Amino acid sequence: MLRPDELPSKDRGAGARTVPLVTYARGATSFLNGTTVFEPGAAIGHHTHNVVESVMVIQGRAIVDIDGERTELRTFDTTLVPANIPHHFENASVTEPMRILWTYASVDATRTLLDSGEHGRIDGESTGERVSVRAADAVVEVADLHVAPGHEGAFEEAVAEASTLFQQAAGTRSLVLERSHEDPSHYRLVVRWESVTDHTEGFRGSSAFTRWRELVGPHLSTDPVAEHFRHVLTGF
């Protein structure tokens, strides 16, 4: 349970204060959200994000400027701004506060202020809270898996059963199985880990890994090949 009045906040300046809610450090794997309160007449600087952002006005009245087009918003009006489109929000009232709930479509979301060029990760903005885990520090395991002809359905069922083994392992954040369009026997398993050692030493040295290989091994035509990758860029 996340209660905004009990969580650390960040002063954005010019009368705006942000409280991150769902963050990577708190368990998010695919999105971030939080609230920002605008004092009467307050506005934040024009900026862009590298991912889609949705904002709902949850208190008061706002003005949103999306690429030069200004629109007044009432409580519960919601915006959807594509990646890399300049925008900002203002409090339309000079007497009452305004509050928004924002959501980014990726834990790797960034903000770039157009006036200053300041650029940084959303989850890297300090609130004074001690954060031990950040999305930027994670690695993604990508395993190429080739399945014996006729075993595709059984293999997918085996991976579904094994998902709980990964979910319960220390340091795992997400798991996705993808299938090649051109070669239906070729699959790719994508697992996000807090660190390489969580995978190579923690999981691979556990009984869960033995069970994983027991489940999928009979369906594979070749040995799996796995590599680890770090996030470099989210273009949109």
Side-chain angles (χ1 to χ4, degrees):
M1 181 63 67
L2 302 171
R3 303 183 189 278
D5 58 353
E6 298 174 359
L7 296 172
S9 64
K10 173 182 172 58
D11 187 353
R12 298 280 298 277
R17 180 170 293 276
T18 289
V19 178
L21 294 172
V22 176
T23 65
Y24 188 80
R26 294 173 182 149
T29 58
S30 58
F31 71 94
L32 305 172
N33 74 9
T35 64
T36 300
V37 178
F38 294 71
E39 296 301 323
I44 56 177
H46 220 46
H47 59 275
T48 61
H49 303 292
N50 61 332
V51 299
V52 172
E53 179 194 31
S54 180
V55 169
M56 176 187 289
V57 178
I58 57 176
Q59 179 186 357
R61 296 181 300 111
I63 295 173
V64 62
D65 183 318
I66 302 176
D67 205 15
E69 182 176 342
R70 296 171 63 83
T71 305
E72 185 163 334
L73 306 174
R74 299 168 295 178
T75 304
F76 303 127
D77 286 351
T78 301
T79 64
L80 182 66
V81 179
N84 304 312
I85 299 298
H87 63 282
H88 75 268
F89 288 84
E90 306 170 12
N91 188 344
S93 173
V94 295
T95 59
E96 301 294 331
M98 181 270 287
R99 187 188 306 257
I100 61 174
L101 172 68
W102 43 263
T103 301
Y104 297 104
S106 170
V107 294
D108 295 311
T110 64
R111 177 187 293 108
T112 302
L113 296 176
L114 297 188
D115 287 343
S116 66
E118 180 183 345
H119 173 82
R121 294 178 62 96
I122 299 298
D123 71 348
E125 295 178 345
S126 175
T127 60
E129 182 182 30
R130 182 179 178 82
V131 177
S132 59
V133 176
R134 288 182 51 214
D137 300 325
V139 297
V140 174
E141 170 204 359
V142 179
D144 275 320
L145 304 167
H146 293 269
V147 176
H151 284 242
E152 291 83 1
F155 168 75
E156 292 176 11
E157 291 177 3
V159 175
E161 181 179 346
S163 293
T164 56
L165 300 173
F166 285 88
Q167 190 171 18
Q168 294 167 1
T172 52
R173 299 306 295 267
S174 63
L175 179 149
V176 174
L177 180 67
E178 301 174 333
R179 187 178 186 179
S180 170
H181 175 75
E182 288 76 17
D183 179 3
S185 68
H186 181 198
Y187 290 81
R188 185 170 66 175
L189 185 74
V190 182
V191 184
R192 191 173 187 122
W193 299 91
E194 300 294 356
S195 68
V196 171
T197 56
D198 281 328
H199 175 218
T200 59
E201 298 178 16
F203 183 68
R204 284 186 178 174
S206 70
S207 59
F209 178 72
T210 302
R211 179 57 179 157
W212 155 248
R213 295 304 294 267
E214 289 174 349
L215 286 168
V216 300
H219 308 297
L220 299 179
S221 60
T222 61
D223 289 336
V225 176
E227 291 185 83
H228 297 94
F229 296 85
R230 293 192 184 277
H231 178 265
V232 175
L233 172 70
T234 298
F236 60 92

